[in-house]
Amino acid sequence: MRVLFCVSEAVPLAKTGGLADVGGALPAALTALGTDVRVVLPRYRGIDSTGWREVGAVDVSLGAKRLPVTVLDGQMPESGVPAWLIDQPQLFDRAGLYGEGGQDYPDNLLRFTCLCRGMLAWLERQPWQPEIIHCHDWQTALVPAIIGAGQVRRAATLLTIHNLAYQGLFPAEQFEVTGLPPSMYTMAGLEFWGQVNLLKGGLVFADLLNTVSETYAQEIQTAEFGAGLDGVLRDRSRDLFGILNGVDYGVWDPAHDPLIPARYTADDLSGKRACKDRLQDEFGLAADPDIPLIGMVTRLADQKGLDLVAAILETLFAAGAQLIVLGTGDPRYERMFSETARRHPRKSGVRIGFDNALAHRIEAGADLFLMPSRYEPSGLNQLYSLRYGTVPIVRRTGGLADSIRDATPQALRAGTANGFVFADYTPQALLRAAQRALAAFRDAATWRTLQRTGMTADFSWAAAAKKYVGLYERAMARSHDRARAG
Ligand code: ADP
């Protein structure tokens, strides 16, 4: 099966969030299953292009503009999966992927139309033709619409929704940049309350849709989580699936992780104690293995439940906990955590920024990991935490609901509990879960059981990749049916 994996970020080349982890790991897992995968993404400024070679060029029409695009051919650095980089320096040689200083680039419609159209124009000339084009989020959601308009050769399409809140909204005047016929700018197409909505186009025209957990696939069909698109998604309910993201244990495993001070396994946790010592020391916290240390690594966005954290901080410290936060994003939350760390220098530490190595050190050195998200399509950090013996406290939503089993007495007895879960989006509910977690931390036997259950669980990509192959087959069948129906 030939799959073109069309994505706007992929580790280790470019990353702003969980999408990049998927962009790096899923193609590798699909390749391991014998799928013929090729990745395509923009050539951003940060990408080192040694080893890549220029293989051709196409001109892309973007409304009134015509831009030259060069294609580089090479391999994804760690997995060796074949890949194309779409090179258009005016659009992609910039400091950010989607924007700078918290502001999106105003020409993002042009930029990502260029990615989609450049890629499709290049593909028209290739002997290698994908049976499936797998698109991700608004940045590549235009591909199914372009195929739906009959403007390029047909291939089956799957669109994966990683976060429904980011839709690619643009002023109506920019619609002509997409090159789609005006007849597609309607309520049944890309129009959304007077604006262009790229994600909506993908939701309407892709052969199949999926999102990154089964619970989120259900949630987004409701008004509460649907971000205005729940009606569109309910219309496609039969074609919408959920597949939980996997973990790349080649990168996230304390038994082999070169980025942490000491390695450890479920059978010998002495290395984890060393990691905690070093982390407390690095942040100037009181150095004591018996103090429960809570970690957070997160985009500082409303989605992540940070207002709940703000509301219970003082109570947590009074209960004897420490908190370390690594994150960047909304200046409000950056200030909040920085001020907290100043007020409680021995109990709280913060690092504002994006720092992958520190993310690993926090996963390894913390006892507990906090993710009280308002919504969480899949979530990766709770899965990383499990493997690092760092017990997650999560809200029951999306992928958190699908991966974390609350430590009720029954679940503990059955050996299925791996964390602490609360349901209501209130500070009280979070606090109750946190207090249960702190009590469990002080009970060595319970804690050991929780850690072991988490560390020995298997959320590797292999299982998820098999499910994706199943969806590809279904999407191909659907595309054939549509083609036959004319
Ligand atoms: P989202 O995709 O909503 O940001 P996920 O939990 O699915 O949330 O994935 C987040 C990914 O980004 C994880 O790999 C996490 O370690 C990483 N990450 C988020 N913020 C930072 C940061 N400030 N520094 C380093 N890594 C981060």
Side-chain angles (χ1 to χ4, degrees), residues 242-271:
I243 300 178
L244 188 71
N245 283 339
V247 174
D248 185 347
Y249 290 121
V251 177
W252 294 97
D253 186 342
H256 312 287
D257 191 338
L259 299 174
I260 61 178
R263 269 137 299 280
Y264 58 92
T265 61
D267 292 327
D268 178 2
L269 285 162
S270 50

Side-chain angles (χ1 to χ4, degrees), residues 333-367:
Y333 295 123
E334 295 187 348
R335 263 196 310 276
M336 173 185 104
F337 285 117
S338 301
E339 276 161 19
T340 305
R342 263 198 300 278
R343 263 200 323 276
H344 299 284
R346 302 290 281 166
K347 292 181 173 162
S348 177
V350 66
R351 183 77 52 82
I352 301 301
F354 196 95
D355 184 338
N356 181 53
L358 179 55
H360 284 248
R361 295 200 296 281
I362 292 177
E363 284 290 2
D367 299 300

